[in-house]
Amino acid sequence: MGCVLIVHNLKDRLRMAHWPTRLTPLDRFLGRFTRLRPGEGRSVVLFFSYALLMMVSYYILKTIREPLLLTESSAEMKSYAYAATATLLLLIVPLYGWLFRRSGKQQLTRIVTGFFVFNLLAFYAAGRAGLDIGFAYYVWVGIFSVMITAQFWAFAADSYNTRSGQRLFPLIMIGATLGGLLAPSLSGTLFPSIGPWYLMLAATLLLASTLPFVRWGRAAVPPGSRSLESVEDERAHGGLFGGISLVLGDRYLLLLALLILLLNWVNTTGEYILAEMVVRNADARLANSTGLLKADLIAGFYGDYFFIVNLMTLLIQIFFVAKIIHRIGVAGAVLVLPLVTLAGYGVVAFFPIFTIVSMVKVFENSTDYSLMNTSRHALYLPLSVAQKYEGKTTIEAFFWRFGDLAQAGAIYIGLNWLQFDIPQFALVNVMLSLFWLLVALRLGAGFREKASGVGAQQPPQLSRPPEERVLIAGEPFQFELPPDTFVALESGDVLRFEVREAWGHDIPEWLSIDTEVLAFSGTPPPQPGSDVELILRATSFGGAWTEGRLIIRIDEDGGG
């Protein structure tokens, strides 16, 4: 197995002949946040920009949907809109599967994006004509949110291999987070002055601007970082309900679907709790003040709320996500959010206060949109092409909204049969979070098995032991070890090099070492002296390491 992986790694190097062999300035800058291979920085920036534009568009649309619905309806109607979304996805998911099996990956991504751009133009025209689109638009945004983001991350997972994706997804997610940070504050501020329709038109233009990034981003991924092409063409398995049958027939995908269902059930129930508190707070302020509009109060709150959520999300994404995934892995990272919701809704059950509910939702959503989003998208990296596109879209569209359907039924039963209030719904979320935590544990074990194949990451291999180097006393020198001195056994992995003196002494001052590419230079003393013995260590992204030994001798004539 190790020999095969070495051969594959060497083939990657041959394909990268026209790509940078050393880190570019952009690679070095992004390397402050995670390790990069030469040339990866450009692809990260393109996917980052793609995600940023997509999420600015989405959050503008998400912000304006709240007042369009809640101004004339109740928070209960919001839950029923989620249920309608899940029902419509029963029709949309099979259509997506049919399209997947008949189009290329880049073409599929463009078709999905173009479809939603056309829909937005229709909503804009209907709204400007005075039609009441509140409920229909709310349902559409629910479909758009899961389809467009699932399509983006399926495309990203299919562009990078498993090791590269685990390293680079946290950086790409910063773009998505930054987009979510900019849009709510902007739309919340502009809504009272320009209204929803011009905001909707702006979001449409931003979404359309993502289309060129489909080709640019894919082409910019270096060969050694790209996803391996599937040998078997899995598009033919299909059928009318191919995506649903694909998920139900695979234990790992089924666990992923259950994780998404529970995640969204808990989150959407929490959104109902928050929306109910927002409406009550707005009604209380209107009762004590004049000259205020309910729609402006609601839009203002949600604009500030989304801004705070995404500011925290951005800070977590930049400073913590890559470190957490590096330290506890994707399997450990998916456990964090259910622990957060378990504690948060436990507090709300006993203290159902508007400020506390808002704080819990801010902390829940910021963790969800940063660490959980990054790790759950990374869960698809070791899967096949069909599982990444058709399986992922089915899970994050149909099963995601099936969680909405489940919570809508629970909200209806709780309100109309059991007379639940905020504390009771919070306790429901506590019980769901416990089940969610168990599912996450099983799923994490499955990811580790799929990602590594043997359960533990193999260390790099010393494929070309360094030869002894003989230098001429007093003469400047410069040499670089061959690039295949150490070889990562997993495609997409990146090695970090360290050099130390073999016996614990300081490295001589006359010897300069560039650990990026194991290059050595300097001017040895004018008189021959003791040999310099160096230990070279190569460490993979996952922490596995291998060492080699380099001996440098200093002679008068260099002849040994």
Side-chain angles (χ1 to χ4, degrees), residues 3 30 34 43 53 113 177 204 235 241 259 304 308 363 378-379 396-397 401 419 429 460 481 512 555:
C3 293
L30 296 176
T34 189
S43 71
L53 291 169
T113 303
T177 304
T204 304
R235 295 169 184 265
F241 293 96
L259 178 95
D304 293 340
I308 295 171
F363 195 49
L379 289 171
E396 303 210 5
R401 288 312 175 198
Q419 286 72 52
N429 267 3
L481 297 185
S512 297
D555 283 352

Side-chain angles (χ1 to χ4, degrees), residues 463-479:
S463 66
R464 189 191 292 265
E467 298 179 355
E468 180 182 286
R469 298 282 175 157
V470 180
L471 309 178
I472 301 176
E475 293 288 333
F477 71 93
Q478 183 175 352
F479 67 88

Side-chain angles (χ1 to χ4, degrees), residues 62 82 261-273 305 337 341 345 361 364-365 368-369 400 404 407 429 436:
K62 183 177 180 179
Y82 285 128
L261 187 151
L262 290 167
L263 185 160
N264 202 39
W265 189 344
V266 170
N267 185 270
T268 309
T269 300
E271 292 294 334
Y272 162 76
I273 292 173
Y305 166 73
L337 184 58
T341 58
Y345 289 107
K361 283 301 297 178
E364 175 194 356
N365 284 355
D368 184 6
Y369 301 158
W400 180 280
D404 294 330
Q407 72 81 34
N429 267 3
W436 175 10

Side-chain angles (χ1 to χ4, degrees), residues 223-506:
S225 306
R226 291 176 187 169
S227 176
L228 301 179
E229 294 295 333
S230 178
V231 175
E232 178 183 359
D233 186 359
E234 297 175 298
R235 295 169 184 265
H237 78 87
L240 180 59
F241 293 96
I244 295 176
S245 62
L246 179 66
V247 172
L248 296 179
D250 184 275
R251 180 177 176 273
Y252 184 81
L253 289 178
L254 190 57
L255 283 171
L256 260 168
L258 190 55
L259 178 95
I260 292 297
L261 187 151
L262 290 167
L263 185 160
N264 202 39
W265 189 344
V266 170
N267 185 270
T268 309
T269 300
E271 292 294 334
Y272 162 76
I273 292 173
L274 179 63
E276 181 64 28
M277 298 295 283
V278 169
V279 171
R280 292 181 188 181
N281 182 67
D283 288 338
R285 292 181 62 183
L286 289 172
N288 298 321
S289 303
T290 58
L292 297 176
L293 295 176
K294 189 174 182 179
D296 291 347
L297 291 175
I298 294 171
F301 169 81
Y302 274 104
D304 293 340
Y305 166 73
F306 289 138
F307 175 80
I308 295 171
V309 165
N310 286 288
L311 176 61
M312 284 191 61
T313 301
L314 182 64
L315 295 175
I316 294 171
Q317 189 71 46
I318 292 174
F319 296 108
F320 298 105
V321 171
K323 292 182 175 64
I324 291 172
I325 291 178
H326 187 198
R327 181 155 301 191
I328 66 177
V330 172
V334 295
L335 302 177
V336 175
L337 184 58
L339 290 172
V340 168
T341 58
L342 185 64
Y345 289 107
V347 173
V348 171
F350 293 98
F351 302 99
I353 302 168
F354 180 52
T355 303
I356 292 178
V357 171
S358 300
M359 291 175 60
V360 167
K361 283 301 297 178
V362 165
F363 195 49
E364 175 194 356
N365 284 355
S366 60
T367 305
D368 184 6
Y369 301 158
S370 57
L371 180 61
M372 188 65 193
N373 259 356
T374 305
S375 56
R376 72 180 175 85
H377 293 312
L379 289 171
Y380 293 89
L381 284 165
L383 302 185
S384 68
V385 173
Q387 289 171 328
K388 287 174 182 175
Y389 281 90
E390 198 172 1
K392 180 178 176 61
T393 302
T394 300
I395 288 172
E396 303 210 5
F398 173 71
F399 286 97
W400 180 280
R401 288 312 175 198
F402 191 79
D404 294 330
L405 185 62
Q407 72 81 34
I411 293 293
Y412 180 84
I413 292 172
L415 289 175
N416 297 284
W417 295 2
L418 303 175
Q419 286 72 52
F420 276 3
D421 200 1
I422 302 300
Q424 289 75 32
F425 285 117
L427 285 175
V428 170
N429 267 3
V430 168
M431 291 184 288
L432 290 172
S433 296
L434 283 170
F435 187 29
W436 175 10
L437 185 60
L438 294 175
V439 171
L441 284 166
R442 299 290 296 274
L443 187 60
F447 175 81
R448 282 192 293 266
E449 181 180 352
K450 285 182 174 292
S452 64
V454 295
Q457 186 186 59
Q458 296 194 28
Q461 178 149 338
L462 179 62
S463 66
R464 189 191 292 265
E467 298 179 355
E468 180 182 286
R469 298 282 175 157
V470 180
L471 309 178
I472 301 176
E475 293 288 333
F477 71 93
Q478 183 175 352
F479 67 88
E480 184 175 315
L481 297 185
D484 60 344
T485 298
F486 292 95
V487 175
L489 292 182
E490 298 188 60
S491 182
D493 205 350
V494 59
L495 303 181
R496 184 186 69 222
F497 300 113
E498 301 172 77
V499 180
R500 70 179 190 276
E501 208 277 336
W503 306 105
H505 305 301
D506 293 335

